[in-house]
Every structure is written in structure tokens, then in C-alpha cells.
């Protein structure tokens, strides 16, 4: 006959193991549009110094948080320099720009002290945050965690626009070889701000500040469609 106590013990062991696996698994469902962005804190490089920076210190501001794979690589400096070139325009919209990778703050510091013609980024007007522990990258689901992937342990090109209440309004993630458009990120920020200030109105495809918008009801939207369809 079967040993019933032994069978029950094995069954409970299996259930306990399953529970541990579920608790250890990453919870990707927590990251979503219209949901709070994960909190974070760490060391960053700004103005040729290593400083403390956290999401709490940015409360009440629009934030453009962008992840990139690594310092001293190839596509990354082109994106970071272009963000810096447009930084004054982001600031004019009341937004803070934060770059982040899994490099140490010392690597960030060395990179900002390296000339652009030598593959560096030069002096930047916005901070580069260090995620050496990879905790922030995991929270934002941009970390490559497949040990068989050639980019194992680094982040992909995630871009998150977060409103003053800490809510994610838009995000996108590019594969490692695909550089993002900083002009498009800026356009999305303008769109997110317009939508936040004008409830019931939407920004159509390729919308830029000053262009016509759509009122989200059947009657009023027809005014837009009549003009748009010509």
C-alpha cells in the first residue's frame, strides 16, 4: 500500500517549491502605461562629479528616463550627445533627462571626460545614472537576462516618459543595434503634456505642438476628419 503521509509530504514539498519559484520570478505586469513608474536611487555623474540621485528628488517634474547598453560603445554616444544637443528644449518643457546604464559611476565619469572624436560623450548637461547592481534595469524590464544572449547582463534602449505624479505616460524599448530618435522622444513628451493639460483631446499621428488635435467624441471629431481627409 502507498505510504499516505509520505505522499502528502512530497505533495506539500512540490507546492512549496512552486511558491518559491513564483515569488522569485520577475513581475513584468507591474510595468505599464498609466501605472506608477518604479522607484529608484543611485549614484550619478553630473558636472564632473559623482552625486546622489533618486526618483523622489524628481517628484513634481516630467522625466525622460532612458536606458542604454554600455559606456564606451558605439551607438550609445550618438544618442547621448543628441539628447544633450536637445537638452535645452527638454528643459524648456520642464522636463528632466536622465541616462542610465549598468556601468559604474567611475566609468560614467571617465566617459564624460573623453572627447567625442575619441568615442566619448564629453561634458553633459544632464546626469548619467549608474545601475551597477542592475536592480533598476530589472524593475523597468530592460535587462537582458538570458545567459545565452550575446548582450547578457546589459540593458536595451528603453525610453520612459514619466509625468509629475510619477505615472508612466509612454515607453518604448529598442534592440541594441537600433538607435532611438531623440526628436521623436521630444514629440512624445509634447504630446503627453498636451494630453495631460487637455482632457478629452487626442494627438493624431505625427502630431507636433501647434497642429490640430482631435476631440474625443463623434460629433466634434468630424470637424477634424473633414479637414484631415482632404
Amino acid at each position: 500500500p502507498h505510504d499516505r503521509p509520505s505522499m502528502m509530504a512530497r505533495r506539500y514539498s512540490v507546492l512549496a517549491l512552486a511558491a518559491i519559484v513564483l515569488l522569485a520570478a520577475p513581475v513584468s505586469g507591474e510595468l505599464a502605461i498609466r501605472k506608477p513608474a518604479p522607484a529608484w536611487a543611485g549614484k550619478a555623474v553630473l558636472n564632473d562629479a559623482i552625486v546622489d540621485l533618486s526618483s523622489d528628488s524628481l517628484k513634481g517634474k516630467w522625466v525622460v528616463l532612458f536606458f542604454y547598453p554600455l559606456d564606451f560603445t558605439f551607438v550609445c554616444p550618438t544618442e547621448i550627445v543628441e539628447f544633450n544637443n536637445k537638452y535645452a528644449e527638454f528643459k524648456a518643457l520642464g522636463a528632466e533627462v536622465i541616462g542610465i546604464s549598468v556601468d559604474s559611476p567611475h566609468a560614467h565619469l571617465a566617459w564624460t571626460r573623453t572627447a567625442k572624436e575619441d568615442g566619448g560623450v564629453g561634458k553633459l548637461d544632464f546626469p548619467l545614472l549608474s545601475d551597477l547592481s542592475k536592480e533598476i534595469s530589472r524593475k523597468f524590464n530592460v535587462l537582458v537576462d538570458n545567459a545565452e544572449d550575446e548582450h547578457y547582463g546589459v540593458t536595451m534602449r528603453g525610453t520612459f516618459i514619466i509625468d509629475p505624479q510619477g505615472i508612466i505616460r509612454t515607453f518604448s524599448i529598442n534592440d541594441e543595434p537600433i538607435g532611438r530618435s531623440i526628436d521623436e522622444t521630444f514629440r512624445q513628451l509634447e504630446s503627453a503634456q498636451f494630453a495631460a493639460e487637455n482632457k478629452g483631446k487626442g494627438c493624431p499621428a505625427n502630431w507636433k505642438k501647434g497642429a490640430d488635435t482631435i476631440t474625443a467624441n463623434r460629433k466634434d471629431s468630424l470637424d477634424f476628419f473633414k479637414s484631415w481627409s482632404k
Side-chain angles (χ1 to χ4, degrees):
H2 294 296
D3 185 341
R4 185 174 181 81
S6 296
M7 290 178 63
M8 292 297 291
R10 285 196 295 271
R11 183 176 298 173
Y12 283 122
S13 296
V14 170
L15 290 173
L17 180 61
I20 291 170
V21 170
L22 286 172
L23 287 171
V27 186
S28 60
E30 292 181 351
L31 190 74
I33 297 294
R34 302 172 74 90
K35 298 291 185 182
W40 52 265
K43 298 291 185 180
V45 167
L46 181 64
N47 295 326
D48 204 42
I50 296 174
V51 299
D52 292 316
L53 189 64
S54 70
S55 53
D56 283 346
S57 68
L58 300 171
K59 283 183 177 178
K61 298 180 179 180
W62 286 88
V63 175
V64 177
L65 183 68
F66 72 94
F67 293 80
Y68 63 93
L70 289 170
D71 296 348
F72 293 100
T73 52
F74 315 107
V75 175
C76 298
T78 68
E79 295 183 313
I80 291 168
V81 169
E82 288 304 324
F83 264 117
N84 202 59
N85 290 343
K86 207 171 181 69
Y87 180 67
E89 294 179 58
F90 281 102
K91 285 291 287 182
L93 294 182
E96 297 294 337
V97 176
I98 315 290
I100 176 170
S101 76
V102 296
D103 297 279
S104 74
H106 302 287
H108 286 341
L109 193 59
W111 205 29
T112 60
R113 291 173 175 175
T114 302
K116 288 180 277 190
E117 58 266 30
D118 293 324
V121 292
K123 185 181 182 300
L124 299 175
D125 296 319
F126 62 86
L128 294 183
L129 181 66
S130 169
D131 183 27
L132 198 58
S133 70
K134 305 181 182 181
E135 179 184 348
I136 304 172
S137 301
R138 286 192 182 94
K139 286 182 178 180
F140 281 85
N141 290 340
V142 294
L143 185 71
V144 178
D145 57 6
N146 177 6
E148 297 180 358
D149 193 297
E150 62 178 318
H151 298 298
Y152 175 60
V154 303
T155 58
M156 294 296 97
R157 303 182 192 282
T159 309
F160 298 81
I161 295 178
I162 302 165
D163 74 13
Q165 288 72 48
I167 304 300
I168 297 174
R169 290 304 171 190
T170 179
F171 73 87
S172 62
I173 303 172
N174 291 7
D175 195 3
E176 185 275 334
I178 305 170
R180 73 202 97 197
S181 166
I182 282 66
D183 285 342
E184 174 60 12
T185 301
F186 185 80
R187 188 195 73 82
Q188 290 183 349
L189 174 63
E190 286 190 318
S191 299
Q193 290 185 340
F194 177 89
E197 294 167 3
N198 298 273
K199 300 298 182 183
K201 290 186 179 291
C203 302
N206 301 320
W207 181 86
K208 291 184 179 180
K209 194 170 185 177
D212 292 339
T213 56
I214 304 173
T215 302
N217 66 62
R218 175 63 180 170
K219 179 178 178 297
D220 293 329
S221 67
L222 290 178
D223 293 335
F224 171 85
F225 290 129
K226 286 173 184 176
S227 173
W228 168 78
S229 62
K230 292 180 181 178

